[in-house]
Amino acid sequence: RTSSGSLRIVRRSFFKFLLKKTTEFVENKIQMCYNNNMLKCIKKMKLILKFVENNYMEKITIEDVAKEVSLSQSHFMKYFKNTMGTSFIDYLNEYRLTMASRLLISSDSSVLDIAAEVGFDNLSYFNRSFKKRFQQTPREYRKRYAQP
């Protein structure tokens, strides 16, 4: 009987050990998948951000960027929003406004030319967006921050 009781203890210990190792293995695989997906996610987002950086001055559609990363338009929009916390269009406009603010300070180009140069084809929309973002018009911004 003692050997039978010892055998049960050994079996129980063995199965606990096996369960622990199996659980660790599965958790490890899940973590590897998560890390691999994160790497893919980061690579995809880098492609998108690089695309914006290289093309912000052009007309960019959701379709253009979705194709760039091999996603449908709806999947792209959801992916971007979930990853960046903002819509792609809001991000693109924010990027364009940032570039415009730099040009207003560093160049003598007209507001109309700068708006067109950063991808806004409607001056009124550019002015409204700029004022909303910087709490001042592009002309006021230039006066305040441009070097004489």
Side-chain angles (χ1 to χ4, degrees), residues 66 70-82:
S70 304
L71 291 173
S72 70
Q73 291 180 47
S74 60
H75 278 98
F76 167 75
M77 290 186 297
K78 186 176 180 180
Y79 164 77
F80 194 92
K81 178 84 172 187
N82 288 340

Side-chain angles (χ1 to χ4, degrees), residues 10-130:
V10 168
R11 279 186 184 157
R12 192 176 304 135
S13 295
F14 174 73
F15 285 119
K16 281 183 178 179
F17 172 79
L18 192 60
L19 179 62
K20 181 180 178 195
K21 289 299 175 188
T22 303
T23 303
E24 287 173 2
F25 176 79
V26 169
E27 287 173 351
N28 224 358
K29 286 295 181 191
I30 290 170
Q31 188 62 42
M32 285 171 58
C33 281
Y34 176 77
N35 289 341
N36 192 27
N37 284 338
M38 283 303 290
L39 283 176
K40 286 179 186 175
C41 181
I42 290 168
K43 284 180 183 179
K44 193 171 286 200
M45 190 51 66
K46 277 182 162 181
L47 284 173
I48 294 166
L49 299 180
K50 192 55 131 173
F51 184 86
V52 169
E53 183 181 330
N54 292 332
N55 299 286
Y56 70 91
M57 64 292 291
E58 309 294 331
K59 179 176 172 32
I60 298 176
T61 65
I62 297 293
E63 182 181 7
D64 295 333
V65 191
K67 279 183 184 176
E68 189 72 18
V69 291
S70 304
L71 291 173
S72 70
Q73 291 180 47
S74 60
H75 278 98
F76 167 75
M77 290 186 297
K78 186 176 180 180
Y79 164 77
F80 194 92
K81 178 84 172 187
N82 288 340
T83 305
M84 296 295 285
T86 188
S87 74
F88 176 75
I89 297 301
D90 286 346
Y91 174 82
L92 177 60
N93 284 337
E94 183 68 24
Y95 190 90
R96 287 173 168 165
L97 290 169
T98 298
M99 298 310 288
S101 71
R102 291 177 182 178
L103 287 171
L104 284 165
I105 294 171
S106 65
S107 82
D108 293 330
S109 298
S110 70
V111 172
L112 175 63
D113 289 342
I114 289 173
E117 191 175 331
V118 299
F120 285 93
D121 57 3
N122 181 313
L123 182 60
S124 178
Y125 179 66
F126 170 74
N127 283 328
R128 274 194 320 275
S129 298
F130 194 94

